[in-house]
Amino acid sequence: MNLLIPSEKLKRFFSQFKTFHYKKGDVFLRSGDIPQGVYYIRTGYVRLYTLSLNGKELTLVIYKPGEFFPVVFTFTADPSVYNFETLSETTLFRAPRDKFINFINENEDVLKELTLHIIERFQVALRRMEYLTFGNAKSRLASVMVIYTKRLGERRGKSTLIPIPLTHKDISNLVGVARETVSLEIKKFADRGIINYKGKYIEIKNIKELEREANLI
């Protein structure tokens, strides 16, 4: 009897296939490419982003360990319309699309869990769209920090660490404002003791105050 939980089944399935190692900042899949398979993150973080006609970047999704992509290609076989870049040193497995589809069709529990994860990312995207449309620079920055603290954060005592070495440029691509503005607002949050830097990582010291700045409470 197979007693593995869905996430363990998924990892075991992908671990049969080729492993790829990337450095931070590697763009390994570009808009218009036909992916060579379905990717699964063993370690590290990957961002999905788009480019405007004038070359401005906007990060739409950050994938964490245990997640797969590209979702549209996986279920439709259509070429990727987005770019994928590593945000840290990253190790990926890549499985043939047909084998992955067969696997999830034969494992309803895995398909159900994957569906829930897709819904979660969709809800995050909707919240970010709302903040990007109606918020100012401060509330946009606060809202993005809240979202990714809750989605990716690691508890460290009374604080929470966002475990991705995000530069101010990375954050500006998430928030949709100029890097200089991001730097200014981050300094204000740090001066007030809401956030702190632990080396290259952002530490959230007061999530409730950050939620207030994001107009979430």
Side-chain angles (χ1 to χ4, degrees), residues 75-133:
F75 293 105
T76 68
D78 290 339
S80 174
V81 296
Y82 299 108
N83 305 285
F84 293 82
E85 178 187 22
T86 54
L87 287 171
S88 62
E89 289 191 8
T90 301
T91 302
L92 305 174
F93 295 122
R94 190 179 71 196
R97 176 180 175 274
D98 59 341
K99 292 184 182 298
F100 180 65
I101 293 296
N102 288 338
F103 168 73
I104 59 175
N105 284 338
E106 294 170 358
N107 292 270
E108 291 187 6
D109 57 339
V110 176
L111 178 58
K112 181 178 179 180
E113 180 166 294
L114 294 180
T115 301
L116 291 175
H117 289 171
I118 292 170
I119 291 171
E120 176 197 358
R121 290 198 296 269
F122 179 65
Q123 290 174 327
V124 168
L126 289 179
R127 289 199 298 271
R128 286 192 56 218
M129 185 184 302
E130 179 182 354
Y131 299 137
L132 289 175
T133 302

Side-chain angles (χ1 to χ4, degrees), residues 29-76:
L29 187 60
R30 298 180 183 276
S31 174
D33 290 349
I34 299 176
Q36 299 302 301
V38 180
Y39 292 89
Y40 171 93
I41 303 179
R42 181 181 178 188
T43 61
Y45 297 87
V46 172
R47 74 173 179 126
L48 176 157
Y49 71 96
T50 188
L51 289 169
S52 68
L53 292 177
N54 62 5
K56 185 176 180 179
E57 297 180 6
L58 179 64
T59 299
L60 301 174
V61 179
I62 293 178
Y63 292 98
K64 61 184 178 180
E67 295 187 325
F68 79 97
F69 61 88
V71 174
V72 173
F73 166 77
T74 298
F75 293 105
T76 68

